[in-house]
Each structure stands twice: as structure tokens, then as C-alpha cells.
Amino acid sequence: MAETTTVARPYARAAFEHAQARKGGLKKWSEVLAAAAAVAADPAMQNAFADPALTVPERADVFLDVVRSVAGGKAVSEDFGNFVRLLAENRRLVLLPDIVAMFEALKAEAEKSIRAEVVSAFPIGDEQKTRLAAALKQRLQREIELEVTVDESLIGGAIIRAGDVVIDGSARGQLANFATALRQ
């Protein structure tokens, strides 16, 4: 894992810097990179990468054709095509999921935003989501993209994860803390 991260990092940074230099580039590259990562993670595509009958340019062209179809009408720019060809030439197409993860982290940092995951014991209403997002925005000094899921095993309350911050306000978490305190 650490090795793939190390190898993927310069590609992610180069893609990010290139996209950032273009108006609307971060959003466009983010969308197309996500589609490319999905294609790269597909086992059938991974078998195609290993096919010795395909030359590197053919492999890149097949990959780009599949990305175009998966991207659902999103334009695959010439620059992105060149990026994919470079990855294919260096046998790095399989790194696209890692590249995307790093690209998205760089994008979030540049946009001063963060994705917060809220796992709640019960469904959360729109008003509660708005108040929670506002409180997180104030605490983290970032724009908040809220993702809410329900896990009834929490008994009550919620767990919030935003980057390195974890706030466990669940009843299950509180009971676990209480049990730990009693054992000491």
C-alpha cells in the first residue's frame, strides 16, 4: 500500500496542478478521473492491461474508449488523454484509484472543503443536517459536504468523521467509555 501511494503521488500532484491551472478544471478532472479509476479497478480491464498482444498505445486507446463510455457524456480532454497515455506507457493505469484519492484530497484542501460522514442511530431531518453542517463548518473552518447513513446498532446518538476528527456521541460509544472507566 505504501509503495503504491509513493508511486501514485507525483501523478496525482501533476494532475491536480494541471487541472487547477484551468478554469473549471478541478471539477472536470475530478469527474473524469473518478470514471477512469472505476474502469482501472475493473477486473476485466486489469486483464486487458496484462494482454501482451496490445501495444501500449492500443492499451491506452482501449482504456480511453471505455472511460468515455463510462463517463456518461463527460468530455475526455486531449490533456486527460495524454495523462492516460503517460500512465499506460509507465504501466501505471492500475494506480488510478490511488491517484484519484490523492487528487480529491488535494482538491478538498484547495477548496477548503471536507467530506463529513455522519452515522446516526435514527434518520436525520433536513433542519438537523443544516444545523450539523453549520456547526462542523464553524469548528473545522471548512465547507462541509455531509454524508448521512443510519446504523441502528448505535442505540442512540451519532458518530461524526471528518478527516482526522472523530466525534463519537453514540450511546454505544458512551457505554463502551463507561465500561472502560469502570474497569480501571
Side-chain angles (χ1 to χ4, degrees), residues 37 48 80 89 115 129 133 184:
F80 186 78
E89 188 176 305
R115 189 170 150 253
K129 288 179 191 175
Q184 294 178 354

Side-chain angles (χ1 to χ4, degrees), residues 69-80:
S69 67
V70 170
K74 303 271 189 294
V76 175
S77 68
E78 185 179 335
D79 291 344
F80 186 78

Side-chain angles (χ1 to χ4, degrees), residues 8-25:
R9 186 175 293 117
Y11 293 103
R13 182 157 298 284
F16 172 77
E17 289 173 359
H18 180 80
Q20 190 177 35
R22 278 131 189 88
K23 183 177 180 176

Side-chain angles (χ1 to χ4, degrees), residues 113-137:
S113 66
I114 193 165
R115 189 170 150 253
E117 176 189 0
V118 178
V119 181
S120 173
F122 302 101
I124 296 176
D126 289 339
E127 183 181 327
Q128 289 174 312
K129 288 179 191 175
T130 303
R131 287 196 328 245
L132 181 57
L136 287 171
K137 179 179 179 178

Side-chain angles (χ1 to χ4, degrees), residues 6 20-21 24 26 34 40 52 66 83 102 104 108 141 157-158 161 171:
T6 302
Q20 190 177 35
L26 286 176
V66 175
F83 181 70
M102 287 180 224
E104 291 300 326
Q141 299 296 306
R161 292 181 188 92

Side-chain angles (χ1 to χ4, degrees), residues 59-150:
R59 194 172 294 138
D61 289 341
V62 167
F63 184 82
L64 283 168
D65 287 343
V66 175
V67 169
R68 283 184 188 95
S69 67
V70 170
K74 303 271 189 294
V76 175
S77 68
E78 185 179 335
D79 291 344
F80 186 78
N82 291 337
F83 181 70
V84 167
R85 286 181 188 86
L86 177 69
L87 290 173
E89 188 176 305
N90 293 325
R91 300 183 189 278
R92 303 285 193 236
L93 287 172
V94 295
L95 293 178
L96 272 162
D98 293 315
I99 292 169
V100 170
M102 287 180 224
F103 180 93
E104 291 300 326
L106 291 167
K107 179 178 176 255
E109 184 66 31
E111 294 175 342
K112 298 289 186 206
S113 66
I114 193 165
R115 189 170 150 253
E117 176 189 0
V118 178
V119 181
S120 173
F122 302 101
I124 296 176
D126 289 339
E127 183 181 327
Q128 289 174 312
K129 288 179 191 175
T130 303
R131 287 196 328 245
L132 181 57
L136 287 171
K137 179 179 179 178
Q138 183 177 7
R139 179 173 178 174
L140 301 174
Q141 299 296 306
R142 298 186 174 281
E143 291 299 317
I144 303 295
E145 178 188 330
L146 210 55
E147 180 183 311
V148 179
T149 58
V150 175

